Amino acid sequence: MLGRGGSRSSKVVQMSLSSSEMFQGQMRCLISPVCSGSTLRPPTSWMCLEDLQWKVPRRHPNWSLNHLNWLLSMQRTLASAGKELKDNFLKALAEREEANRSGKMTSVIFIRDHNTLGQEVSGYIDYAHRLKTQDFEPYFNGKKRLMPGRSDLCYYNWKTQVSTSNSSPNFEVIYDDPNGLLFKNKRDKKILNVDPLSGPGEDSNRTLLQSDLYIHVVIYDHNIRTV
């Protein structure tokens, strides 16, 4: 973790999170171009288990049982299940929850807003890691707001100018690359580029969201291919 010092990594993260260059009316290193929305869908809580069992070929009884157990497990563990979500950001998190929990996807969330002290902060969050280490029920219920912190991938406080950078179980933070701030996926070793003027990288996409809860929100999705 980096402190207030003038280390190169701290300066690079600070530049990436607080660049004043404008990009189509937005902060260049903070907001991405609009791209097509996600087509991800979590298992529906109203899905009829008997219908699923009926559709399974009789020659695969073990697959039927395992799949039904998996579906029941997902319905129990998905924090977003059964919630009436109105904000676009919470809806996007719900759409990605199952894929991030199961390891099919690793999403990086960029958020810029004011903390409880009224200070403007911004940062990048490893969604899959947060799902494993935090209870997301309060977020989906609207009792808490998801905000970046010093233990996340990157964090910058615009008032105190504190900048931190931490690798997570899913991503390695690369802050000394000429192309700027990058995240390297630890499973497939592919690079996620968060610069809006560059493509996000192979098997990745960038989604800009309009939210009533935050100043700026962008989600970067990296799909993990299975061989």
Side-chain angles (χ1 to χ4, degrees):
M1 182 176 292
L2 306 176
R4 294 173 175 263
S7 65
R8 182 181 180 186
S9 60
S10 177
K11 291 182 178 179
V12 171
V13 172
Q14 178 176 337
M15 291 173 62
S16 298
L17 294 172
S18 61
S19 171
S20 59
E21 182 176 351
M22 302 302 292
F23 176 74
Q24 295 183 353
Q26 307 289 352
M27 303 299 287
R28 177 179 181 273
C29 289
L30 300 176
I31 287 299
S32 59
V34 177
C35 66
S36 59
S38 171
T39 59
L40 300 174
R41 293 293 184 273
T44 55
S45 58
W46 59 87
M47 188 177 294
C48 180
L49 300 182
E50 287 139 350
D51 286 344
L52 281 176
Q53 190 173 22
W54 176 79
K55 293 178 182 179
V56 175
R58 292 184 179 180
R59 64 180 181 275
H60 296 299
N62 292 335
W63 185 93
S64 173
L65 181 60
N66 291 337
H67 183 72
L68 292 177
N69 288 336
W70 171 85
L71 182 59
L72 287 171
S73 175
M74 283 296 100
Q75 288 176 321
R76 287 193 298 266
T77 59
L78 290 181
S80 59
K83 306 292 191 303
E84 293 186 9
L85 306 174
K86 297 181 179 180
D87 188 79
N88 292 332
F89 174 65
L90 294 180
K91 290 179 180 178
L93 291 188
E95 291 175 352
R96 292 160 171 80
E97 184 182 2
E98 185 275 324
N100 274 268
R101 285 190 185 275
S102 65
K104 293 180 291 187
M105 170 185 289
T106 50
S107 299
V108 173
I109 305 168
F110 171 81
I111 291 177
R112 180 184 176 203
D113 207 83
H114 295 91
N115 61 18
T116 55
L117 299 177
Q119 301 168 337
E120 195 166 330
V121 299
S122 55
Y124 293 90
I125 299 170
D126 181 342
Y127 184 33
H129 180 52
R130 281 282 201 109
L131 283 171
K132 290 184 177 181
T133 58
Q134 284 189 329
D135 178 13
F136 264 68
E137 287 274 354
Y139 297 124
F140 287 115
N141 284 331
K143 296 180 180 179
K144 291 177 61 178
R145 283 198 318 147
L146 182 66
M147 289 290 291
R150 297 189 184 190
S151 61
D152 284 308
L153 292 172
C154 288
Y155 168 84
Y156 178 66
N157 186 309
W158 292 52
K159 181 176 179 61
T160 64
Q161 297 184 10
V162 169
S163 176
T164 64
S165 172
N166 308 276
S167 293
S168 73
N170 300 306
F171 290 99
E172 175 187 351
V173 180
I174 302 175
Y175 47 77
D176 55 356
D177 190 274
N179 296 318
L181 184 64
L182 304 172
F183 300 115
K184 183 178 180 180
N185 188 277
K186 290 185 176 181
R187 289 180 60 186
D188 60 16
K189 311 303 180 183
K190 294 180 180 178
I191 298 297
L192 175 63
N193 191 336
V194 295
D195 186 343
L197 296 184
S198 302
E202 186 179 357
D203 296 329
S204 299
N205 60 75
R206 177 192 290 116
T207 304
L208 169 66
L209 296 169
Q210 298 296 326
S211 171
D212 294 329
L213 304 177
Y214 303 95
I215 297 175
H216 292 155
V217 177
V218 183
I219 299 180
Y220 302 85
D221 297 317
H222 182 71
N223 297 289
I224 306 296
R225 294 186 181 183
T226 56
V227 180

